[in-house]
């Protein structure tokens, strides 16, 4: 691979263009290693576009890629490797396979097992995996499609493998505020969604504008959407925040008010439907879902029914639900933390049961009745 014209020698040929970039456009030599790597990866993401093709070997010359400013994952990340090396960063290509291409058999890794190349770089205090194809990811995160067990580091006299598993937890936190207009049979709702890490990436990569979000909400029982604000849409190292204000119909049964505290934001269907499973369950990255609803209790009403407390904490998940009166409000919190990114097939039945419990509890109703 190091002698291949479209891999190792591609990196060597890309050094000339890398020197030009560092001399004329990217002045990073005085920066510490982490800031230098961040600036170089950011430069590649801003100036070169991924064409959507996954490859581990280049199909065009570095000069052509340098001119076109567009190419496959191979052109982009092999060029990135050269740029890092010329900037004084220890960096090596990493052969990998994307999820849709399948797993790598490490005992006999034939070339056809691979279809992608990442870069491993030394920050001085440790090694990071990086990739320059996805502008909506921080410099030290690899694309979701690439989080697939392990990759082969390509360097002289070495056969080292590196884990591709993400060590960070990706959070989705949604807070709801609810007030009533009894005369109009409306529930005025505010929703604030905060996502981090790969959950934020999935939101950003959809590139929805406020018009698309409003259209989606109107298909989800919102009669009117008064305001949508998106924060940190392009600041990839910060949480992505979407704030929504709108109205939904107030549900009544006889004289009672019926509320679904978390609306339809939690999942309502368990994708695990088989009685048993022979293969691991791959969530790709560790997920944490948090829901908080602060529900006003209108004057003249009291809480008739609310979900019971729940706490499950084992090696698979942490599942917690609590509903508690706070003055003239009802505070409801639900948390589901998946403690692993990949679960063994032996855990299937119990994990399926935990998800069923989450769905049941997170969709339970609150009923208010007249005093």
């Amino acid at each position: 691979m190091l002698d291949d014209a479209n891999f190792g020698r591609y990196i060597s040929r890309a050094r000339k263009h890398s020197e030009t970039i560092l001399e004329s456009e990217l002045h990073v030599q005085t920066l510490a290693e982490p800031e230098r790597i961040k600036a170089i990866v950011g430069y590649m993401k801003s100036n070169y576009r991924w064409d959507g093709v996954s490859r581990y070997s280049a199909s065009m010359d570095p000069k052509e890629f340098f001119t076109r400013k567009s190419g496959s994952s191979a052109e982009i990340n092999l060029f990135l490797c050269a740029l890092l090396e010329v900037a004084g960063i220890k960096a090596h290509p990493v052969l990998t396979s994307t999820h849709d291409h399948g797993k790598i058999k490490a005992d006999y890794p034939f070339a056809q097992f691979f279809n992608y190349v990442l870069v491993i770089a030394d920050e001085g205090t440790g090694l990071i995996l990086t990739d320059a194809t996805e502008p909506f990811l921080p410099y030290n995160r690899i694309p979701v499609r690439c989080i697939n067990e392990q990759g082969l580091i390509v360097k002289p006299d070495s056969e080292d493998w590196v884990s591709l598993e993400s060590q960070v937890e990706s959070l989705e936190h949604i807070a709801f505020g609810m007030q009533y207009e009894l005369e109009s049979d409306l529930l005025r709702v505010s929703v604030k969604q905060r996502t981090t890490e790969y959950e934020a990436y999935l939101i950003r990569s959809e590139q929805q504008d406020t018009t698309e979000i409003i259209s989606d909400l109107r298909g989800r029982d919102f009669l009117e959407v008064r305001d949508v604000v998106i924060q940190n849409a392009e600041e990839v190292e910060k949480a992505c925040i979407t704030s929504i204000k709108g109205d939904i119909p107030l549900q009544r049964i006889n004289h009672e008010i019926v509320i679904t505290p978390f609306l339809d934001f939690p999942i309502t269907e368990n994708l695990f439907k088989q009685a048993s499973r022979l293969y691991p369950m791959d969530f790709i990255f560790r997920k944490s879902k948090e829901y908080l609803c602060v529900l006003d209790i209108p004057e003249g009403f009291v809480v008739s029914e609310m979900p019971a407390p729940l706490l499950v904490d084992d090696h698979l998940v942490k599942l917690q639900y609590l509903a508690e009166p706070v003055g003239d409000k009802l505070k409801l919190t639900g948390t589901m933390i998946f403690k692993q990114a990949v679960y063994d097939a032996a855990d299937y039945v119990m994990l399926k049961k935990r998800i069923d419990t989450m769905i049941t509890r997170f969709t339970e109703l609150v009923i208010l009745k007249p005093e």
Side-chain angles (χ1 to χ4, degrees):
M1 294 302 301
L2 291 173
D3 289 334
D4 189 280
N6 297 317
F7 195 86
R9 287 166 59 192
Y10 177 98
I11 296 173
S12 298
R13 296 197 308 276
R15 289 173 179 270
K16 175 183 177 182
H17 304 289
S18 298
E19 290 169 356
T20 300
I21 291 171
L22 289 170
E23 288 172 4
S24 61
E25 298 182 64
L26 194 55
H27 306 290
V28 296
Q29 296 304 103
T30 60
L31 300 177
E33 283 92 340
E35 287 75 21
R36 208 181 318 164
I37 296 171
K38 181 179 179 180
I40 291 169
V41 176
Y43 171 86
M44 287 294 297
K45 291 183 179 185
S46 298
N47 291 276
Y48 294 85
R49 183 183 62 84
W50 180 46
D51 62 10
V53 177
S54 295
R55 294 174 55 91
Y56 70 80
S57 64
S59 60
M60 70 176 81
D61 188 85
K63 181 179 180 180
E64 184 181 356
F65 171 69
F66 181 72
T67 303
R68 281 192 182 186
K69 308 292 185 186
S70 174
S72 71
S73 58
E75 278 88 31
I76 288 175
N77 285 331
L78 293 175
F79 197 96
L80 169 64
C81 192
L83 192 53
L84 289 168
E85 288 180 352
V86 172
I89 301 295
K90 293 179 182 178
H92 301 284
V94 179
L95 288 170
T96 65
S97 172
T98 57
H99 263 274
D100 60 0
H101 189 252
K103 305 290 185 184
I104 298 168
K105 298 177 176 64
D107 292 339
Y108 43 97
F110 292 111
Q112 63 264 29
F113 293 162
F114 303 101
N115 75 323
Y116 205 93
V117 60
L118 300 168
V119 178
I120 191 166
D122 190 344
E123 285 195 306
T125 56
L127 299 173
I128 64 159
L129 287 164
T130 187
D131 171 278
T133 66
E134 292 287 355
F136 296 111
L137 281 174
Y139 79 101
N140 54 357
R141 299 290 184 266
I142 63 174
V144 173
R145 62 182 174 273
C146 298
I147 305 175
N148 192 19
E149 292 192 354
Q150 57 188 344
L152 179 62
I153 303 173
V154 182
K155 60 181 180 179
D157 304 317
S158 172
E159 295 177 6
D160 294 333
W161 292 86
V162 61
S163 172
L164 304 178
E165 181 179 348
S166 173
Q167 300 302 315
V168 298
E169 183 179 273
S170 298
L171 169 70
E172 180 185 46
H173 176 92
I174 306 181
F176 305 85
M178 297 186 182
Q179 297 178 322
Y180 309 89
E181 278 197 7
L182 299 180
E183 301 82 5
S184 306
D185 277 342
L186 288 178
L187 190 61
R188 295 204 175 269
V189 176
S190 64
V191 181
K192 187 173 185 179
Q193 179 193 48
R194 177 178 176 270
T195 56
T196 66
E197 293 291 343
Y198 285 107
E199 292 286 8
Y201 161 74
L202 295 175
I203 295 292
R204 290 184 171 109
S205 62
E206 290 179 357
Q207 294 185 311
Q208 282 191 313
D209 59 22
T210 55
T211 303
E212 291 173 308
I213 293 172
I214 290 170
S215 176
D216 177 59
L217 291 169
R218 284 179 175 159
R220 297 170 58 181
D221 291 336
F222 274 78
L223 297 173
E224 181 182 355
V225 181
R226 295 190 304 278
D227 192 27
V228 174
V229 177
I230 303 172
Q231 296 173 264
N232 306 332
E234 299 190 10
E235 297 178 78
V236 298
E237 295 189 4
K238 295 183 179 181
C240 185
I241 300 171
T242 304
S243 301
I244 300 162
K245 292 182 180 179
D247 300 334
I248 63 174
L250 185 62
Q251 302 295 322
R252 293 177 183 263
I253 298 177
N254 297 325
H255 299 293
E256 297 179 327
I257 297 173
V258 179
I259 306 293
T260 305
F262 303 150
L263 304 180
D264 63 350
F265 282 80
I267 63 169
T268 57
E269 181 181 2
N270 194 338
L271 297 180
F272 298 139
K273 300 184 184 300
Q274 303 93 340
S276 62
R277 187 180 175 101
L278 299 176
Y279 300 100
M281 294 151 285
D282 192 348
F283 286 76
I284 305 179
F285 54 88
R286 290 192 294 120
K287 308 169 188 282
S288 179
K289 305 286 187 180
E290 298 177 357
Y291 303 93
L292 167 65
C293 178
V294 179
L295 184 65
D296 279 355
I297 302 174
E299 186 176 351
F301 284 81
V302 295
V303 177
S304 171
E305 294 182 29
M306 62 182 179
L310 172 68
L311 176 60
V312 176
D313 194 356
D314 55 27
H315 68 290
L316 302 177
V317 303
K318 181 177 181 180
L319 174 58
Q320 189 170 15
Y321 195 104
L322 182 63
E324 54 183 340
V326 181
D328 61 350
K329 302 179 187 297
L330 183 63
K331 180 182 177 182
L332 305 104
T333 55
T335 301
M336 182 69 159
I337 299 173
F338 293 89
K339 295 185 179 181
Q340 302 171 38
V342 181
Y343 290 87
D344 291 337
D347 294 323
Y348 174 77
V349 173
M350 186 56 68
L351 184 61
K352 178 184 177 184
K353 181 179 178 181
R354 295 284 184 259
I355 295 174
D356 281 337
T357 302
M358 178 192 73
I359 292 171
T360 300
R361 188 54 54 92
F362 285 14
T363 56
E364 280 190 24
L365 303 175
V366 171
I367 298 177
L368 309 178
K369 68 178 183 179
E371 290 184 285

